[in-house]
Amino acid sequence: MRNSGLAVVGRETETAEIIRRVGADRSHSDVLIVTGDPGAGKSTLLDLAAERARGAGGRVLRAVGSESEAHLGFAGLHQMLRPVLGEAEGLPSRQRSALRAVLGLEEYAETPDALLVGLAVLTLLSDLAETSPLLVVVDDAQWIDRGSLDVLSFVARRMDSEPVTLLVGVRTADALPGFDKGYERLELGPLDAEAANRLLDRQPAPPTGRTRVRILEEAAGNPLALVELAHATAIRRHPEDSGVEGPLPVTDRLERIFVGHAADLPEPTRRILLLLAAADAADAQAAAVGLPETDDEAWVPADRAGLVRQDGSGISFRHPLVRSAVYHAASFEERRRAHLALAELLREEPDRRAWHLAAATVRPDQDVSAALQQTADRARRRGGFAAAAAAQERAAELSPRREDRARLLTEAAATAVFTGQLGWVEHLAAAVRECTDDQALLGKAALATGQLMSLGPHHTAAFARLMRVADEAADARSPLVLDALAAAAVVRYYSGEESQQRQIQSLLSRLPDDAAGAALHVWVLAVSDPSSAGASLAPVLPGLIAEAKGDAGRLTALAIVAWLLDQTTLAARTFDEAFDQWQARGPLPDGLGCAAGWTLLEQGRWAGARSVAAEISAVASAAGLDHAEACAQALDATVLALLGESADARRRAAQALTLVDPLESRSVAVFARRALGLAAVADGDYDTAYAQFRSAFTDDGDPVHYHVSYTVLAELAAAAVRRGRQEDAAELLERSARRLGTGISARLTALLDRGRALLAEPEHAEPYFQAALADDTGEQWPFERAQTRLDYGEWLRRRRRIAEARPLLSAALETFQRLGARPWIERAKAELRAAGIEAAGSVVPSAFTELSPQQQQIVQLAARGLTNREIGEKLFLSPRTVGSHLYRVFPKLGITARSQLRDVVEGTLSGAGAPI
């Protein structure tokens, strides 16, 4: 075809980079984002990559976005995987069913788990790459539907050692959720003067003189513009006759050129071009062969004009701008007839048919609106929330009845929450306000906005929105009041603002008892004020969890309540049960999503905590939810500090603090400051440690955050002792104890007793140490328990009670080694040496703790006898990646066979609890 090499001229560096990416050495995965303006040559470079990969014996999967497909859920994924759907039959049954469900190939009882769909695609790509390297090319990604983008983003983050290369082409000005951070980018800028002239010289009729100068000026270094302007002037007498009216943006100039080309074509050709322009990628070929007027001869003039190309997959436009030009140059009536023809052709494709009918409709039409509602239902069941919300919004526009429009817009707002696009949700809520005064619908739309706002950084505004909904619902005696209060309680936790608790409690106290809302009532109490609610809720919590069996959503909420009440073992068990059943409702983290990670951290499952942090961080970053990302960064910073990775911990904590306003997000601020304090302790910098821990309280000694601040009391006491600040710390600790009152959790009781022991005069310390260790429930917080044993052992040694000190110090060392808490390992070893014992340096535990969190999880699961595929399902990794990790860790652990893993784990991690 003409212009096959247009992007190669002047793109020598970029071409070399692309070739390198798809070279023969495919021992690892690779992701590259190719960006540039329309006509810069992205598609040509991606075509070159595909040809190169095939020539080297590799396999290629492709998807090309189009504007008309952006609202069809998982259309891009279906396009990419269509050639290999037969090979997907070899996937594990749950993965295969989830994948087939989102592609609309089979029914699924529940909304498919978004993570399970991502894992299915990851496993499939890994399987495809077993025999030869795999290249995945996604072009015009700005028009790929959001559901497909989320899956591709999931896969890109987990390919690891897979021999898979992912090349993504996107226009420079367009955001690409999930790919906007952390990936290399290849920017295709304008060609320089020398390259632009070389490209003109390669044209069949190279322009000269004033014409050449004009073309160079108009094209501004855009390769496609150079070629098309040269072509346009070659078939006309003067460049002024080329149809280019300056000054115009390059894209507009190109579209006018293509419109001019199309205007000269015979009527049958123009008609079939419009059909092709109106068609989606999946139905384009049906349009090309399914209508009487689309005989082969009709395509010839369009081919000669350089508007279309024919390859192995059929006929397509040479560039998206050609399609846009052809479509928008037609009159509405012409476009309407084209869409109606396609709708008739696609009677067996109800979703595509519905959108074509909608495109052909300008006035309310109940039948078309109903078809779009059915499309939305199907998309939502498959987890395509952006597609569902778009269909609901269009269905509302076409609904003849005002009340139906309001209802559909409200449903669209609730659905759009799961896309993370706050601007869209606010737009839909505003549309609801414009077409109804129904308080129930207005409340639901406002609630949707507030729920999404709560995941962002502006908690004052989010709380005000949610309480307004709650107040209005209470006045109307609507059950929506508890939903709004539940969301407001989450905001209250994030912000830590005391006045918000008073507003919640005031409204909650006015509500009548309602058995149906009991679970939400418990949630609001626990989240907004756990220290007051703990005594009454803790005894009934196990029963509530037992009643919730089989309901993953309720189990997750109750697990969070258990964590807030310091029922850590119960929380971990409930999170695990919920995780096994969970069917993800969307790609966004739920309120207090990091609670699962904090639970794992407190229980000593640090690798699992880091995995939770990584997942939430990636999802939140892709959705632009700064507060959720900050929570995850603070969690990861804390684990890193405990592991002794202080520099990385400080970096993560600092990032968390930059993502939020500390006065709007006190929970994140205190969590991050606690991590910074622990990192300072790891470095032996107790001045900084004291300052960071002390910042969890105001100058007057009140907690900055009603839940998180109290967790630093013992650390504050330990740092105060080393810096001579015992008096201030003791006063703050006792003030906190009075504020907490009676009935506080066993964990806080132990932390207070440890703090008192450290701050007491030496002769008065022992009863507090003994009290801190007296309750066996303290074993569910192994690191904190080991710290107390270390402190007590140190106190005993200094009192020359060596025989009593040694068991405590040895137990503390064993826990620190098991957890990999290197700074505390060294301190415990030093204390043991001072007690006359040289601690044996166990090679295997040290080697295990040197593994990455993910590798530790893999080793523990493999030791339990799980296969690579089963491990992959649990950790959302491909079997190949699991195998690659095991291959690399065997030498580090000093073993040669999988059968030895059980002995390694049992010998070094006894008492660690469940690994996942």
Side-chain angles (χ1 to χ4, degrees), residues 498 663 666 669-671 673-674 689-717 720 728-740 748 751-752 759:
E498 285 303 310
L663 296 179
R666 292 180 180 87
V670 178
F671 273 132
R673 296 291 181 191
R674 187 178 76 170
Y690 180 81
Q692 296 292 356
F693 295 139
R694 183 62 181 79
S695 71
F697 297 85
T698 67
D699 291 342
D700 294 333
D702 293 329
V704 170
H705 189 271
Y706 62 94
H707 178 243
V708 189
S709 289
Y710 295 125
T711 65
V712 310
L713 285 169
E715 297 292 353
L716 175 64
D728 178 53
E731 182 180 340
L732 193 152
L733 186 144
E734 295 306 328
R735 181 186 178 96
S736 296
R738 289 192 298 273
R739 191 182 183 103
L740 286 166
L748 284 180
L751 291 176
L752 286 170
L759 294 168

Side-chain angles (χ1 to χ4, degrees), residues 237-443:
R237 185 170 299 176
H238 301 292
E240 290 79 6
D241 298 330
S242 65
V244 181
E245 301 173 9
L248 287 172
V250 169
T251 299
D252 291 344
R253 293 193 195 103
L254 286 168
E255 286 203 356
R256 294 206 176 189
I257 291 170
F258 294 137
V259 167
H261 293 345
D264 296 332
L265 298 174
E267 173 60 26
T269 303
R270 291 203 306 275
R271 192 161 57 249
I272 63 171
L273 278 179
L274 179 56
L275 281 169
L276 189 63
D280 301 323
D283 56 52
Q285 298 316 309
V289 301
L291 297 174
E293 61 263 44
T294 57
D295 59 88
D296 290 342
E297 289 302 314
W299 292 109
V300 174
D303 189 10
R304 287 175 180 163
L307 298 176
V308 298
R309 62 184 174 189
Q310 187 163 7
D311 52 32
S313 61
I315 296 171
S316 60
F317 286 110
R318 188 165 51 81
H319 194 277
L321 291 177
V322 180
R323 174 183 183 153
S324 177
V326 169
Y327 186 81
H328 292 291
S331 67
F332 173 75
E333 182 55 32
E334 289 172 324
R335 294 199 299 268
R336 191 181 77 83
R337 287 198 299 268
H339 283 295
L340 288 174
L342 288 166
E344 181 63 27
L345 187 67
L346 295 167
R347 285 192 168 276
E348 301 302 315
E349 296 282 346
D351 294 338
R352 289 185 163 85
R353 181 176 183 273
W355 278 107
H356 282 301
L357 289 172
T361 305
V362 291
R363 59 181 59 87
D365 187 310
Q366 183 58 46
D367 290 339
V368 179
S369 178
L372 285 167
Q373 291 176 55
Q374 292 170 1
T375 287
D377 290 340
R378 284 188 290 269
R380 190 170 48 242
R381 286 198 299 271
R382 299 200 305 267
F385 296 98
Q392 288 167 329
E393 183 178 16
R394 183 64 175 136
E397 293 170 356
L398 295 177
S399 181
R401 301 175 64 221
R402 186 183 180 88
E403 55 268 35
D404 287 339
R405 287 201 297 275
R407 174 183 56 80
L408 287 166
L409 286 167
T410 303
E411 292 175 3
T415 304
V417 166
F418 297 110
T419 71
Q421 299 177 51
L422 180 59
W424 190 12
V425 177
E426 289 178 326
H427 165 76
L428 291 165
V432 174
R433 292 193 297 272
E434 289 176 5
C435 70
T436 188
D437 55 5
D438 184 321
Q439 290 303 307
L441 294 179
L442 291 170

Side-chain angles (χ1 to χ4, degrees), residues 200-217:
L200 288 179
D201 289 338
R202 289 195 177 190
Q203 301 315 302
T208 60
R210 287 191 309 110
T211 301
R212 189 182 189 96
V213 171
R214 171 79 186 278
I215 289 172
L216 289 169
E217 290 175 352

Side-chain angles (χ1 to χ4, degrees), residues 656-682:
L657 290 170
T658 61
L659 286 167
V660 298
D661 178 348
L663 296 179
E664 287 262 344
S665 301
R666 292 180 180 87
S667 60
V668 168
V670 178
F671 273 132
R673 296 291 181 191
R674 187 178 76 170
L676 289 169
L678 289 168
V681 170

